[in-house]
Amino acid sequence: MSAPAAEGKSQLAHRWIRERIASGVYGPGYRLVLSALAGELEMSVVPVREAVRALTAEGLVTFERNVGARVAHVDGAQYRFILQAISMLESAATALAAPFVTPEDIDRARRLNAVVRHGLPDLDPRVFREVNQSLHSTLYANCPNPRLLEIIRGEWVRLGHLRGSASGIAPGRAAEAVLEHEALIDLIERGAPAEDIERAARHHRAGSLTADLTVRHPGLDRCDLTLPEGA
């Protein structure tokens, strides 16, 4: 595997390992053996070590003396905090992206929402989560703040190996999500004020993420993910 000329070897290794963590190929606790990774990437250990250090700084990997580097575990509390961050960040990105959403984006978002609607009431939880994420990505992909998008992607990578692993959907949540999606898409299509779009996105994301948390960690204390009145 040869690195593109425009991309350094450590950046290539970082992206390659990160994608495998996000997809669940390297799950929580997976030991990252530098020599083995270097062999797969056909490069020396040095850039792989740099990549693993960067992933450690991002919280995706932990390092323990005499054990080495492992993919980080995400416990219930961490999961809750990441969901709260995603709810806030995606809402802001959606509002910022709204003026740049194209008619094609609107059409794609409506078609994705139709997949959920037509699958009710027996929609597979994995399909729901994948389609839901694709719909939201469509609506905030044109956000003009690249750093905000980078942070959002990073948070989803941290949860990547957990995405779709829950056994069900909170009762009634998928049907509620369809209606909330339609309302959000309508706001964006008609050029509503940014604060209205952000509030609608935040309300929807809060409901979906809290429901997801209820399924995965039913005994965990909840945190309020909604915007206060007047914010």
Side-chain angles (χ1 to χ4, degrees):
M1 177 176 197
S2 58
E7 185 174 31
K9 288 186 176 181
S10 63
Q11 287 83 5
L12 174 65
H14 177 275
R15 178 169 58 82
W16 190 83
I17 299 169
R18 198 172 190 261
E19 287 174 353
R20 279 152 182 76
I21 294 174
S23 66
V25 173
Y26 297 161
Y30 182 89
R31 189 178 174 210
L32 299 173
V33 181
L34 300 187
S35 59
L37 295 172
E40 285 196 70
L41 288 162
E42 298 181 1
M43 62 177 64
S44 72
V45 171
V46 174
V48 175
R49 182 181 294 113
E50 292 175 357
V52 170
R53 284 175 178 166
L55 292 164
T56 302
E58 293 172 22
L60 297 176
V61 172
T62 59
F63 184 84
E64 187 177 344
R65 187 178 296 277
N66 299 324
V67 175
R70 294 184 183 274
V71 176
H73 288 272
V74 177
D75 63 21
Q78 290 174 315
Y79 191 84
R80 181 186 66 187
F81 295 144
I82 294 172
L83 292 185
Q84 185 180 39
I86 288 172
S87 176
M88 298 169 67
L89 295 171
E90 282 197 357
S91 301
T94 301
L96 289 171
F100 307 101
V101 171
T102 67
E104 291 75 20
D105 295 329
I106 292 292
D107 181 63
R108 181 170 189 269
R110 291 198 191 281
R111 283 188 281 108
L112 288 167
N113 202 33
V115 171
V116 178
R117 183 189 300 108
H118 295 155
L120 296 175
D122 300 315
L123 187 66
D124 184 283
R126 294 175 186 272
V127 173
F128 172 66
R129 292 187 179 90
E130 289 173 6
V131 171
N132 189 60
Q133 188 59 26
S134 294
L135 188 156
H136 285 282
S137 296
T138 298
L139 296 180
Y140 67 68
N142 293 326
C143 174
N145 186 327
R147 178 56 180 158
L148 182 55
L149 292 175
E150 181 182 352
I151 295 171
I152 292 170
R153 284 193 292 267
E155 292 303 290
W156 277 118
V157 168
R158 293 181 69 187
L159 296 183
H161 56 279
L162 296 176
R163 232 183 286 179
S165 64
S167 59
I169 305 171
R173 182 54 206 161
E176 292 175 351
V178 166
L179 298 178
E180 292 166 4
H181 286 156
E182 285 296 335
L184 177 59
I185 294 168
D186 286 345
L187 285 173
I188 294 172
E189 186 174 37
R190 71 169 184 258
E195 57 268 26
D196 292 348
I197 293 171
E198 181 171 3
R199 185 179 297 279
R202 180 80 168 273
H203 172 77
H204 164 69
R205 261 321 198 186
S208 294
L209 296 176
T210 299
D212 188 64
L213 188 64
T214 300
V215 171
R216 295 180 192 274
H217 300 284
L220 194 67
D221 289 339
R222 302 288 174 263
C223 56
D224 186 9
L225 302 178
T226 58
L227 281 169
E229 291 299 322

